Amino acid sequence: MDTAVIEAMKKWPNVPAVSGYLSLDQSGHWRHHRAGDANRYPEQPGERITHPGLLAFFNRNYQSDEQGRWFIQNGPQQVYVRLDAAPLIVSLAQDLLHLQDHTGRQVDTIQAWYLSAQGTLYLRTPAGPALLSGRDIAALLDQLRSADQGLDSLDLGQPCHYEGWTLPAYPDACPLTVWSSCVSPARELAYIVLPEPDPT
């Protein structure tokens, strides 16, 4: 978090949080909702934010609270973010081996994998729950293996839990869970899709 942000929080500790103005789409793009209605109309994508300085500020000051609400700490104010897919969107880095999230941070550790019935791949990282960008799913699934088998040897049509899965760049084995179609990723991974401030 920026030093100026920390100082502003100390100076004005009781600024009410807001929601409805920002969202994070499934590609990891920040989006602005001018009317503050992002949560009321979750089907509306909002306007993509492209200003380099603003993007850098968001990426440095993005975090979560104990309830699983993700927000930008904008000076003394928390601006809650609607999540269209997950709190973090990860993709393969330039080496096509390591992963990085949409804020530019490298993923150092993978704690667990989750494969949805729709074929999307989620993961748990120390920084938070993440969704693998769709464009990288095929390449990563090719690399994901247990000691003696790949995903092509599993019955992915049935909910199940497997131990011992690794990637070349992440040799520490972790579990892989295949979810049924009724599983809510947000509930399983403990994040809030449409966060709202606490009542005042």
Side-chain angles (χ1 to χ4, degrees):
M1 199 168 11
D2 289 355
T3 301
V5 169
I6 295 171
E7 291 303 316
M9 291 168 63
K10 292 177 182 176
K11 190 172 182 179
W12 298 288
N14 299 312
V15 176
V18 297
S19 65
Y21 292 94
L22 293 176
S23 63
L24 180 71
D25 71 18
Q26 62 186 5
S27 297
H29 298 136
W30 297 110
R31 294 187 172 271
H32 181 223
H33 301 260
R34 294 178 183 274
D37 56 2
N39 290 0
R40 193 180 329 157
Y41 302 107
E43 72 284 356
Q44 294 185 0
E47 179 184 351
R48 182 175 170 183
I49 298 170
T50 58
H51 188 280
L54 194 53
L55 293 174
F57 178 84
F58 283 3
N59 292 340
R60 291 193 308 269
N61 296 285
Y62 181 53
Q63 55 193 293
S64 65
D65 64 17
E66 294 177 353
Q67 296 182 43
R69 297 177 295 189
W70 286 75
F71 60 90
I72 303 295
Q73 187 68 48
N74 182 28
Q77 186 173 57
Q78 293 178 347
V79 181
Y80 289 116
V81 178
R82 185 188 83 193
L83 302 174
D84 293 346
L88 301 171
I89 308 299
V90 300
S91 56
L92 285 168
Q94 288 186 343
D95 64 5
L96 301 181
L97 292 172
H98 291 87
L99 295 169
Q100 65 180 24
D101 69 30
H102 71 277
T103 70
R105 293 175 298 192
Q106 180 171 302
V107 175
D108 294 321
T109 304
I110 298 169
Q111 299 166 323
W113 295 100
Y114 305 90
L115 186 62
S116 77
Q118 293 74 34
T120 50
L121 191 62
Y122 292 81
L123 53 153
R124 187 182 297 282
T125 76
L131 172 70
L132 180 70
S133 175
R135 67 177 183 273
D136 290 331
I137 287 178
L140 190 138
L141 290 182
D142 242 14
Q143 300 177 31
L144 190 59
R145 302 192 63 80
S146 69
D148 57 358
Q149 62 186 345
L151 282 179
D152 54 357
S153 65
L154 305 181
D155 179 8
L156 300 179
Q158 297 295 323
C160 49
H161 182 83
Y162 303 96
E163 294 291 339
W165 290 81
T166 65
L167 289 173
Y170 300 93
D172 292 338
C174 62
L176 166 71
T177 301
V178 179
W179 284 333
S180 72
S181 57
C182 63
V183 166
S184 162
R187 187 177 305 116
E188 291 295 316
L189 297 178
Y191 60 89
I192 297 177
V193 173
L194 303 174
E196 294 289 351
D198 294 330
T200 55

